[in-house]
Amino acid sequence: MEVLKVSSKSDPNKVAGAIAGVVREHGRAEIQAIGAGAVNQAVKAIAIARGYLAPSGIDLVFVPAFTDVEIENEKRTAIKFIVFPKS
C-alpha cells in the first residue's frame, strides 16, 4: 500500500476521496505530512473522509506517529496518520 503524501497546498476534499478509496480497497490508509500546514490539511481530509464513509457504516479513526523521511538527501521528521475503520 502506498503512502498518501499531503502538503500544505493539498485540497482536503481530494485527499479525503483518496483516503476513502484506499480504506475501501485495502482496509486502511497511511498519510504522511511534513509541517504544520500539511498536518492541518491531512486532519481536515480525514474528517471529510469520515463523512464520505459514514453512510456505508464505516467509522474512521486514526493513530498519529512520527516517522523519519529523507528528502533530497536531508533527513526530516514527518507525521504519519494510520487511518482505519473503528472496530
Side-chain angles (χ1 to χ4, degrees), residues 22-54:
V22 171
V23 168
R24 282 190 178 113
E25 188 174 334
H26 298 286
R28 61 178 242 156
E30 190 171 313
I31 303 156
Q32 179 179 294
I34 300 173
V39 169
N40 180 54
Q41 297 302 80
V43 172
K44 285 196 280 187
I46 294 167
I48 294 165
R50 287 189 75 211
Y52 289 167
L53 293 170

PDB file of all heavy atoms in Angstrom, residues 22-54:
ATOM      1  N   VAL A  22      -8.792   4.289  -0.677  1.00  0.00           N
ATOM      2  CA  VAL A  22      -7.775   3.367  -0.158  1.00  0.00           C
ATOM      3  C   VAL A  22      -8.340   2.537   0.992  1.00  0.00           C
ATOM      4  O   VAL A  22      -8.104   1.331   1.066  1.00  0.00           O
ATOM      5  CB  VAL A  22      -6.501   4.135   0.269  1.00  0.00           C
ATOM      6  CG1 VAL A  22      -5.534   3.232   1.009  1.00  0.00           C
ATOM      7  CG2 VAL A  22      -5.821   4.749  -0.941  1.00  0.00           C
ATOM      8  N   VAL A  23      -9.100   3.159   1.872  1.00  0.00           N
ATOM      9  CA  VAL A  23      -9.694   2.414   3.002  1.00  0.00           C
ATOM     10  C   VAL A  23     -10.674   1.366   2.482  1.00  0.00           C
ATOM     11  O   VAL A  23     -10.680   0.227   2.959  1.00  0.00           O
ATOM     12  CB  VAL A  23     -10.372   3.369   4.013  1.00  0.00           C
ATOM     13  CG1 VAL A  23     -11.220   2.600   5.016  1.00  0.00           C
ATOM     14  CG2 VAL A  23      -9.322   4.198   4.741  1.00  0.00           C
ATOM     15  N   ARG A  24     -11.484   1.730   1.492  1.00  0.00           N
ATOM     16  CA  ARG A  24     -12.416   0.746   0.915  1.00  0.00           C
ATOM     17  C   ARG A  24     -11.669  -0.422   0.280  1.00  0.00           C
ATOM     18  O   ARG A  24     -12.078  -1.566   0.393  1.00  0.00           O
ATOM     19  CB  ARG A  24     -13.310   1.406  -0.124  1.00  0.00           C
ATOM     20  CG  ARG A  24     -14.443   2.206   0.472  1.00  0.00           C
ATOM     21  CD  ARG A  24     -15.436   2.641  -0.612  1.00  0.00           C
ATOM     22  NE  ARG A  24     -16.536   3.360  -0.021  1.00  0.00           N
ATOM     23  CZ  ARG A  24     -16.776   4.651  -0.213  1.00  0.00           C
ATOM     24  NH1 ARG A  24     -16.010   5.364  -1.008  1.00  0.00           N
ATOM     25  NH2 ARG A  24     -17.803   5.234   0.363  1.00  0.00           N
ATOM     26  N   GLU A  25     -10.559  -0.126  -0.395  1.00  0.00           N
ATOM     27  CA  GLU A  25      -9.822  -1.158  -1.127  1.00  0.00           C
ATOM     28  C   GLU A  25      -8.908  -1.986  -0.228  1.00  0.00           C
ATOM     29  O   GLU A  25      -8.842  -3.202  -0.371  1.00  0.00           O
ATOM     30  CB  GLU A  25      -8.994  -0.500  -2.231  1.00  0.00           C
ATOM     31  CG  GLU A  25      -8.337  -1.500  -3.165  1.00  0.00           C
ATOM     32  CD  GLU A  25      -7.630  -0.831  -4.332  1.00  0.00           C
ATOM     33  OE1 GLU A  25      -8.028   0.288  -4.708  1.00  0.00           O
ATOM     34  OE2 GLU A  25      -6.679  -1.433  -4.848  1.00  0.00           O
ATOM     35  N   HIS A  26      -8.196  -1.320   0.680  1.00  0.00           N
ATOM     36  CA  HIS A  26      -7.182  -2.010   1.474  1.00  0.00           C
ATOM     37  C   HIS A  26      -7.525  -2.153   2.956  1.00  0.00           C
ATOM     38  O   HIS A  26      -6.796  -2.811   3.689  1.00  0.00           O
ATOM     39  CB  HIS A  26      -5.838  -1.282   1.367  1.00  0.00           C
ATOM     40  CG  HIS A  26      -5.289  -1.246  -0.021  1.00  0.00           C
ATOM     41  ND1 HIS A  26      -4.729  -2.347  -0.636  1.00  0.00           N
ATOM     42  CD2 HIS A  26      -5.217  -0.235  -0.932  1.00  0.00           C
ATOM     43  CE1 HIS A  26      -4.334  -2.015  -1.848  1.00  0.00           C
ATOM     44  NE2 HIS A  26      -4.634  -0.743  -2.063  1.00  0.00           N
ATOM     45  N   GLY A  27      -8.595  -1.489   3.411  1.00  0.00           N
ATOM     46  CA  GLY A  27      -8.972  -1.599   4.823  1.00  0.00           C
ATOM     47  C   GLY A  27      -8.284  -0.603   5.728  1.00  0.00           C
ATOM     48  O   GLY A  27      -8.644  -0.471   6.896  1.00  0.00           O
ATOM     49  N   ARG A  28      -7.282   0.127   5.213  1.00  0.00           N
ATOM     50  CA  ARG A  28      -6.606   1.166   5.983  1.00  0.00           C
ATOM     51  C   ARG A  28      -5.811   2.047   5.033  1.00  0.00           C
ATOM     52  O   ARG A  28      -5.562   1.674   3.890  1.00  0.00           O
ATOM     53  CB  ARG A  28      -5.689   0.586   7.057  1.00  0.00           C
ATOM     54  CG  ARG A  28      -4.595  -0.274   6.523  1.00  0.00           C
ATOM     55  CD  ARG A  28      -3.667  -0.800   7.597  1.00  0.00           C
ATOM     56  NE  ARG A  28      -2.331  -0.289   7.326  1.00  0.00           N
ATOM     57  CZ  ARG A  28      -1.391  -0.137   8.214  1.00  0.00           C
ATOM     58  NH1 ARG A  28      -1.619  -0.445   9.454  1.00  0.00           N
ATOM     59  NH2 ARG A  28      -0.211   0.330   7.891  1.00  0.00           N
ATOM     60  N   ALA A  29      -5.424   3.215   5.507  1.00  0.00           N
ATOM     61  CA  ALA A  29      -4.622   4.135   4.701  1.00  0.00           C
ATOM     62  C   ALA A  29      -3.541   4.740   5.576  1.00  0.00           C
ATOM     63  O   ALA A  29      -3.715   4.871   6.793  1.00  0.00           O
ATOM     64  CB  ALA A  29      -5.500   5.241   4.113  1.00  0.00           C
ATOM     65  N   GLU A  30      -2.429   5.102   4.950  1.00  0.00           N
ATOM     66  CA  GLU A  30      -1.354   5.783   5.657  1.00  0.00           C
ATOM     67  C   GLU A  30      -1.108   7.115   4.967  1.00  0.00           C
ATOM     68  O   GLU A  30      -0.932   7.179   3.754  1.00  0.00           O
ATOM     69  CB  GLU A  30      -0.085   4.928   5.649  1.00  0.00           C
ATOM     70  CG  GLU A  30       0.984   5.462   6.557  1.00  0.00           C
ATOM     71  CD  GLU A  30       2.153   4.504   6.711  1.00  0.00           C
ATOM     72  OE1 GLU A  30       1.915   3.305   6.945  1.00  0.00           O
ATOM     73  OE2 GLU A  30       3.294   4.969   6.575  1.00  0.00           O
ATOM     74  N   ILE A  31      -1.107   8.185   5.770  1.00  0.00           N
ATOM     75  CA  ILE A  31      -0.944   9.539   5.257  1.00  0.00           C
ATOM     76  C   ILE A  31       0.314  10.120   5.884  1.00  0.00           C
ATOM     77  O   ILE A  31       0.555   9.932   7.081  1.00  0.00           O
ATOM     78  CB  ILE A  31      -2.158  10.408   5.626  1.00  0.00           C
ATOM     79  CG1 ILE A  31      -3.428   9.774   5.082  1.00  0.00           C
ATOM     80  CG2 ILE A  31      -2.009  11.826   5.116  1.00  0.00           C
ATOM     81  CD1 ILE A  31      -4.650  10.183   5.824  1.00  0.00           C
ATOM     82  N   GLN A  32       1.090  10.848   5.091  1.00  0.00           N
ATOM     83  CA  GLN A  32       2.326  11.455   5.580  1.00  0.00           C
ATOM     84  C   GLN A  32       2.267  12.955   5.364  1.00  0.00           C
ATOM     85  O   GLN A  32       1.869  13.414   4.297  1.00  0.00           O
ATOM     86  CB  GLN A  32       3.496  10.852   4.827  1.00  0.00           C
ATOM     87  CG  GLN A  32       4.845  11.400   5.194  1.00  0.00           C
ATOM     88  CD  GLN A  32       5.926  10.706   4.387  1.00  0.00           C
ATOM     89  OE1 GLN A  32       6.148   9.528   4.555  1.00  0.00           O
ATOM     90  NE2 GLN A  32       6.557  11.444   3.500  1.00  0.00           N
ATOM     91  N   ALA A  33       2.667  13.719   6.384  1.00  0.00           N
ATOM     92  CA  ALA A  33       2.652  15.177   6.295  1.00  0.00           C
ATOM     93  C   ALA A  33       3.893  15.745   6.975  1.00  0.00           C
ATOM     94  O   ALA A  33       4.295  15.265   8.034  1.00  0.00           O
ATOM     95  CB  ALA A  33       1.396  15.734   6.959  1.00  0.00           C
ATOM     96  N   ILE A  34       4.485  16.755   6.353  1.00  0.00           N
ATOM     97  CA  ILE A  34       5.640  17.441   6.936  1.00  0.00           C
ATOM     98  C   ILE A  34       5.280  18.913   7.074  1.00  0.00           C
ATOM     99  O   ILE A  34       4.970  19.578   6.093  1.00  0.00           O
ATOM    100  CB  ILE A  34       6.900  17.282   6.057  1.00  0.00           C
ATOM    101  CG1 ILE A  34       7.254  15.811   5.896  1.00  0.00           C
ATOM    102  CG2 ILE A  34       8.063  18.064   6.645  1.00  0.00           C
ATOM    103  CD1 ILE A  34       8.372  15.543   4.911  1.00  0.00           C
ATOM    104  N   GLY A  35       5.294  19.406   8.292  1.00  0.00           N
ATOM    105  CA  GLY A  35       4.983  20.812   8.556  1.00  0.00           C
ATOM    106  C   GLY A  35       3.561  21.014   9.046  1.00  0.00           C
ATOM    107  O   GLY A  35       2.674  20.197   8.810  1.00  0.00           O
ATOM    108  N   ALA A  36       3.370  22.123   9.739  1.00  0.00           N
ATOM    109  CA  ALA A  36       2.075  22.410  10.367  1.00  0.00           C
ATOM    110  C   ALA A  36       0.950  22.537   9.343  1.00  0.00           C
ATOM    111  O   ALA A  36      -0.155  22.022   9.558  1.00  0.00           O
ATOM    112  CB  ALA A  36       2.174  23.700  11.190  1.00  0.00           C
ATOM    113  N   GLY A  37       1.206  23.219   8.221  1.00  0.00           N
ATOM    114  CA  GLY A  37       0.165  23.382   7.198  1.00  0.00           C
ATOM    115  C   GLY A  37      -0.263  22.060   6.604  1.00  0.00           C
ATOM    116  O   GLY A  37      -1.455  21.821   6.372  1.00  0.00           O
ATOM    117  N   ALA A  38       0.705  21.185   6.369  1.00  0.00           N
ATOM    118  CA  ALA A  38       0.396  19.873   5.796  1.00  0.00           C
ATOM    119  C   ALA A  38      -0.382  19.018   6.796  1.00  0.00           C
ATOM    120  O   ALA A  38      -1.321  18.313   6.421  1.00  0.00           O
ATOM    121  CB  ALA A  38       1.680  19.165   5.380  1.00  0.00           C
ATOM    122  N   VAL A  39      -0.003  19.086   8.068  1.00  0.00           N
ATOM    123  CA  VAL A  39      -0.722  18.328   9.101  1.00  0.00           C
ATOM    124  C   VAL A  39      -2.166  18.829   9.193  1.00  0.00           C
ATOM    125  O   VAL A  39      -3.108  18.036   9.296  1.00  0.00           O
ATOM    126  CB  VAL A  39      -0.002  18.434  10.462  1.00  0.00           C
ATOM    127  CG1 VAL A  39      -0.861  17.893  11.597  1.00  0.00           C
ATOM    128  CG2 VAL A  39       1.337  17.709  10.406  1.00  0.00           C
ATOM    129  N   ASN A  40      -2.354  20.137   9.118  1.00  0.00           N
ATOM    130  CA  ASN A  40      -3.697  20.715   9.147  1.00  0.00           C
ATOM    131  C   ASN A  40      -4.549  20.181   7.998  1.00  0.00           C
ATOM    132  O   ASN A  40      -5.696  19.754   8.208  1.00  0.00           O
ATOM    133  CB  ASN A  40      -3.599  22.236   9.075  1.00  0.00           C
ATOM    134  CG  ASN A  40      -4.947  22.908   9.103  1.00  0.00           C
ATOM    135  OD1 ASN A  40      -5.745  22.662   9.998  1.00  0.00           O
ATOM    136  ND2 ASN A  40      -5.204  23.764   8.129  1.00  0.00           N
ATOM    137  N   GLN A  41      -3.999  20.175   6.778  1.00  0.00           N
ATOM    138  CA  GLN A  41      -4.742  19.684   5.618  1.00  0.00           C
ATOM    139  C   GLN A  41      -5.044  18.193   5.760  1.00  0.00           C
ATOM    140  O   GLN A  41      -6.128  17.742   5.385  1.00  0.00           O
ATOM    141  CB  GLN A  41      -3.966  19.945   4.326  1.00  0.00           C
ATOM    142  CG  GLN A  41      -3.749  21.412   4.014  1.00  0.00           C
ATOM    143  CD  GLN A  41      -5.025  22.202   3.899  1.00  0.00           C
ATOM    144  OE1 GLN A  41      -5.628  22.598   4.892  1.00  0.00           O
ATOM    145  NE2 GLN A  41      -5.454  22.435   2.682  1.00  0.00           N
ATOM    146  N   ALA A  42      -4.108  17.432   6.307  1.00  0.00           N
ATOM    147  CA  ALA A  42      -4.318  15.990   6.485  1.00  0.00           C
ATOM    148  C   ALA A  42      -5.446  15.714   7.465  1.00  0.00           C
ATOM    149  O   ALA A  42      -6.307  14.863   7.218  1.00  0.00           O
ATOM    150  CB  ALA A  42      -3.026  15.324   6.953  1.00  0.00           C
ATOM    151  N   VAL A  43      -5.460  16.444   8.582  1.00  0.00           N
ATOM    152  CA  VAL A  43      -6.515  16.226   9.587  1.00  0.00           C
ATOM    153  C   VAL A  43      -7.879  16.622   9.019  1.00  0.00           C
ATOM    154  O   VAL A  43      -8.878  15.920   9.231  1.00  0.00           O
ATOM    155  CB  VAL A  43      -6.195  16.983  10.894  1.00  0.00           C
ATOM    156  CG1 VAL A  43      -7.365  16.938  11.862  1.00  0.00           C
ATOM    157  CG2 VAL A  43      -4.948  16.381  11.551  1.00  0.00           C
ATOM    158  N   LYS A  44      -7.931  17.734   8.271  1.00  0.00           N
ATOM    159  CA  LYS A  44      -9.195  18.123   7.628  1.00  0.00           C
ATOM    160  C   LYS A  44      -9.653  17.035   6.659  1.00  0.00           C
ATOM    161  O   LYS A  44     -10.844  16.692   6.614  1.00  0.00           O
ATOM    162  CB  LYS A  44      -9.048  19.453   6.887  1.00  0.00           C
ATOM    163  CG  LYS A  44      -8.998  20.653   7.794  1.00  0.00           C
ATOM    164  CD  LYS A  44      -9.239  21.949   7.039  1.00  0.00           C
ATOM    165  CE  LYS A  44      -8.004  22.411   6.333  1.00  0.00           C
ATOM    166  NZ  LYS A  44      -8.142  23.757   5.731  1.00  0.00           N
ATOM    167  N   ALA A  45      -8.712  16.483   5.895  1.00  0.00           N
ATOM    168  CA  ALA A  45      -9.057  15.439   4.927  1.00  0.00           C
ATOM    169  C   ALA A  45      -9.599  14.193   5.624  1.00  0.00           C
ATOM    170  O   ALA A  45     -10.557  13.580   5.141  1.00  0.00           O
ATOM    171  CB  ALA A  45      -7.833  15.083   4.084  1.00  0.00           C
ATOM    172  N   ILE A  46      -9.024  13.824   6.756  1.00  0.00           N
ATOM    173  CA  ILE A  46      -9.517  12.652   7.500  1.00  0.00           C
ATOM    174  C   ILE A  46     -10.942  12.911   7.983  1.00  0.00           C
ATOM    175  O   ILE A  46     -11.808  12.039   7.889  1.00  0.00           O
ATOM    176  CB  ILE A  46      -8.575  12.300   8.662  1.00  0.00           C
ATOM    177  CG1 ILE A  46      -7.217  11.841   8.123  1.00  0.00           C
ATOM    178  CG2 ILE A  46      -9.188  11.230   9.552  1.00  0.00           C
ATOM    179  CD1 ILE A  46      -6.112  11.773   9.166  1.00  0.00           C
ATOM    180  N   ALA A  47     -11.199  14.107   8.473  1.00  0.00           N
ATOM    181  CA  ALA A  47     -12.553  14.453   8.942  1.00  0.00           C
ATOM    182  C   ALA A  47     -13.558  14.381   7.784  1.00  0.00           C
ATOM    183  O   ALA A  47     -14.673  13.866   7.947  1.00  0.00           O
ATOM    184  CB  ALA A  47     -12.556  15.843   9.565  1.00  0.00           C
ATOM    185  N   ILE A  48     -13.166  14.883   6.618  1.00  0.00           N
ATOM    186  CA  ILE A  48     -14.053  14.836   5.454  1.00  0.00           C
ATOM    187  C   ILE A  48     -14.271  13.392   5.001  1.00  0.00           C
ATOM    188  O   ILE A  48     -15.394  12.995   4.666  1.00  0.00           O
ATOM    189  CB  ILE A  48     -13.480  15.705   4.305  1.00  0.00           C
ATOM    190  CG1 ILE A  48     -13.477  17.184   4.717  1.00  0.00           C
ATOM    191  CG2 ILE A  48     -14.267  15.506   3.019  1.00  0.00           C
ATOM    192  CD1 ILE A  48     -12.629  18.083   3.829  1.00  0.00           C
ATOM    193  N   ALA A  49     -13.204  12.590   5.016  1.00  0.00           N
ATOM    194  CA  ALA A  49     -13.315  11.178   4.623  1.00  0.00           C
ATOM    195  C   ALA A  49     -14.268  10.424   5.541  1.00  0.00           C
ATOM    196  O   ALA A  49     -14.994   9.531   5.093  1.00  0.00           O
ATOM    197  CB  ALA A  49     -11.939  10.513   4.626  1.00  0.00           C
ATOM    198  N   ARG A  50     -14.280  10.776   6.823  1.00  0.00           N
ATOM    199  CA  ARG A  50     -15.242  10.146   7.749  1.00  0.00           C
ATOM    200  C   ARG A  50     -16.659  10.373   7.259  1.00  0.00           C
ATOM    201  O   ARG A  50     -17.501   9.471   7.299  1.00  0.00           O
ATOM    202  CB  ARG A  50     -15.109  10.729   9.165  1.00  0.00           C
ATOM    203  CG  ARG A  50     -13.873  10.266   9.889  1.00  0.00           C
ATOM    204  CD  ARG A  50     -13.904  10.680  11.345  1.00  0.00           C
ATOM    205  NE  ARG A  50     -14.842   9.802  12.052  1.00  0.00           N
ATOM    206  CZ  ARG A  50     -15.556  10.178  13.100  1.00  0.00           C
ATOM    207  NH1 ARG A  50     -15.474  11.400  13.569  1.00  0.00           N
ATOM    208  NH2 ARG A  50     -16.364   9.317  13.683  1.00  0.00           N
ATOM    209  N   GLY A  51     -16.925  11.601   6.788  1.00  0.00           N
ATOM    210  CA  GLY A  51     -18.251  11.915   6.248  1.00  0.00           C
ATOM    211  C   GLY A  51     -18.566  11.136   4.985  1.00  0.00           C
ATOM    212  O   GLY A  51     -19.704  10.737   4.761  1.00  0.00           O
ATOM    213  N   TYR A  52     -17.555  10.918   4.150  1.00  0.00           N
ATOM    214  CA  TYR A  52     -17.759  10.145   2.920  1.00  0.00           C
ATOM    215  C   TYR A  52     -18.085   8.678   3.224  1.00  0.00           C
ATOM    216  O   TYR A  52     -18.879   8.060   2.523  1.00  0.00           O
ATOM    217  CB  TYR A  52     -16.510  10.167   2.042  1.00  0.00           C
ATOM    218  CG  TYR A  52     -16.185  11.489   1.375  1.00  0.00           C
ATOM    219  CD1 TYR A  52     -14.937  11.678   0.788  1.00  0.00           C
ATOM    220  CD2 TYR A  52     -17.096  12.539   1.298  1.00  0.00           C
ATOM    221  CE1 TYR A  52     -14.610  12.878   0.163  1.00  0.00           C
ATOM    222  CE2 TYR A  52     -16.770  13.734   0.679  1.00  0.00           C
ATOM    223  CZ  TYR A  52     -15.528  13.898   0.113  1.00  0.00           C
ATOM    224  OH  TYR A  52     -15.207  15.067  -0.512  1.00  0.00           O
ATOM    225  N   LEU A  53     -17.442   8.122   4.253  1.00  0.00           N
ATOM    226  CA  LEU A  53     -17.589   6.689   4.536  1.00  0.00           C
ATOM    227  C   LEU A  53     -18.703   6.365   5.530  1.00  0.00           C
ATOM    228  O   LEU A  53     -19.155   5.224   5.597  1.00  0.00           O
ATOM    229  CB  LEU A  53     -16.254   6.118   5.048  1.00  0.00           C
ATOM    230  CG  LEU A  53     -15.126   6.107   4.014  1.00  0.00           C
ATOM    231  CD1 LEU A  53     -13.806   5.755   4.674  1.00  0.00           C
ATOM    232  CD2 LEU A  53     -15.433   5.141   2.892  1.00  0.00           C
ATOM    233  N   ALA A  54     -19.161   7.348   6.284  1.00  0.00           N
ATOM    234  CA  ALA A  54     -20.190   7.114   7.304  1.00  0.00           C
ATOM    235  C   ALA A  54     -21.463   6.480   6.738  1.00  0.00           C
ATOM    236  O   ALA A  54     -22.010   5.558   7.353  1.00  0.00           O
ATOM    237  CB  ALA A  54     -20.506   8.405   8.051  1.00  0.00           C
TER     238      ALA A  54
END
